[in-house]
Amino acid sequence: MNEDRYSEDVLAAGWREAGRRVVPQQEAVRDLVVEEVATGFCGAVIRVEKKVVTLEDRFGKLRLFPLGGGFLLDGEPIVLVQPRPTTPASRARTASGSLAVSDAPARVARASRIFVEGRHDAELVEKVWGADLRIEGVAVEYIEGVDNLADLLDEFRPDSTRRVGVLVDHLVPGSKESRIADAVARGRYGRHVLVVGHPYVDVWQSVKPARLNLPVWPVIPRSIEWKHGICQALGWPHEDQADIARAWQRILGQVRTYADLEPALLGRVEQLIDFVTVEQ
């Protein structure tokens, strides 16, 4: 027998890896479909934040998992890793499209404010314009309905150094919202308050329907509460407020940049930011 089974040095470099299968790394890019081994959950990558990947299955259910091993791609083991920046050589932009300012500290909050009607409005503005607003030192507050605006302005007492920008839903001619906006413009604080709005019944509609694989947003009869009607039309749970909150998070999860929003909202928010940050 010519082969000497003792001729190889078992302590040579790489002896520990000999015969061991190397599991390939895979960037967790959006829409990549993977299976998490421990739970059997199969879904598409929606986003990656702080070394945590969010997967969405075909029923719209979301699950969060840590990046790393324990995933299958087309039945084969992989290690999910943070995706690389798509344009590492170019200067990054914020979600609003502005050039990002690296390592810039948040500015001390201005006295001026931006008011929005509800929590969902505030979360959407934060997701897209949050970086810009922190640089400018502008706080966003939600007022739980435009009916409260007059009382809040009396309490806030806007002036040339304490401006207020207000984003209103369904600001169309003849609506309650338009009458309130007109009254504010004519009132004692009119010079220091700017009320603008979008035409949608609710801020949900400012997300492009294509982001939810819809041709258009469903039309809901006025006799049905709009958010509940939308969830019902889309086949989503809508029995209680927790269902509505989950539906909104599902919608908000599809918003990554300004490109996911309708222009009718984009221009109005930019207008408010300019109004409250102008130097007097």
Side-chain angles (χ1 to χ4, degrees), residues 228-255:
H228 285 266
I230 284 294
C231 291
Q232 184 177 25
L234 298 179
W236 297 350
H238 56 282
E239 295 301 320
D240 54 29
Q241 190 56 38
D243 287 334
I244 301 303
R246 283 189 287 270
W248 168 240
Q249 290 306 313
R250 182 173 178 177
I251 294 168
L252 186 62
Q254 301 305 308
V255 177

Side-chain angles (χ1 to χ4, degrees), residues 202-273:
D202 190 276
V203 76
W204 289 19
Q205 283 184 296
S206 67
V207 178
K208 291 180 178 178
R211 298 300 181 264
L212 301 168
N213 295 319
L214 300 173
V216 294
W217 281 93
V219 176
I220 307 303
R222 291 191 177 186
S223 59
I224 300 176
E225 199 281 326
W226 193 85
K227 289 187 175 76
H228 285 266
I230 284 294
C231 291
Q232 184 177 25
L234 298 179
W236 297 350
H238 56 282
E239 295 301 320
D240 54 29
Q241 190 56 38
D243 287 334
I244 301 303
R246 283 189 287 270
W248 168 240
Q249 290 306 313
R250 182 173 178 177
I251 294 168
L252 186 62
Q254 301 305 308
V255 177
R256 301 175 300 282
T257 72
Y258 70 96
D260 298 318
L261 302 179
E262 298 287 1
L265 175 71
L266 297 174
R268 302 292 74 74
V269 176
E270 298 287 351
Q271 186 178 1
L272 291 179
I273 294 174

Side-chain angles (χ1 to χ4, degrees), residues 6 16 32 44 72 154 176-177 227 229-230 238 273 276:
Y6 300 107
R16 291 181 181 273
L32 178 74
L72 300 178
D154 283 336
K176 173 190 70 175
E177 291 80 4
K227 289 187 175 76
I230 284 294
H238 56 282
I273 294 174
V276 299

Side-chain angles (χ1 to χ4, degrees), residues 18 62 71 112 134 141 145 147 170 182 187 189-190 216 223:
L62 302 179
F71 294 93
S112 299
R134 282 185 285 277
E141 301 177 8
D147 293 334
H170 199 229
D182 290 342
Y189 305 116
V216 294
S223 59

Side-chain angles (χ1 to χ4, degrees), residues 129-178:
W129 289 275
D132 305 40
L133 292 169
R134 282 185 285 277
I135 292 294
E136 294 291 350
V138 177
V140 175
E141 301 177 8
Y142 65 93
I143 61 177
E144 299 182 344
V146 72
D147 293 334
N148 300 317
L149 180 57
D151 291 340
L152 287 171
L153 291 177
D154 283 336
E155 179 181 341
F156 189 82
R157 302 181 68 82
D159 59 30
S160 60
T161 62
R162 292 166 53 83
R163 289 184 154 199
V164 173
V166 187
L167 180 68
V168 176
D169 297 339
H170 199 229
L171 191 61
V172 296
S175 67
K176 173 190 70 175
E177 291 80 4
S178 67

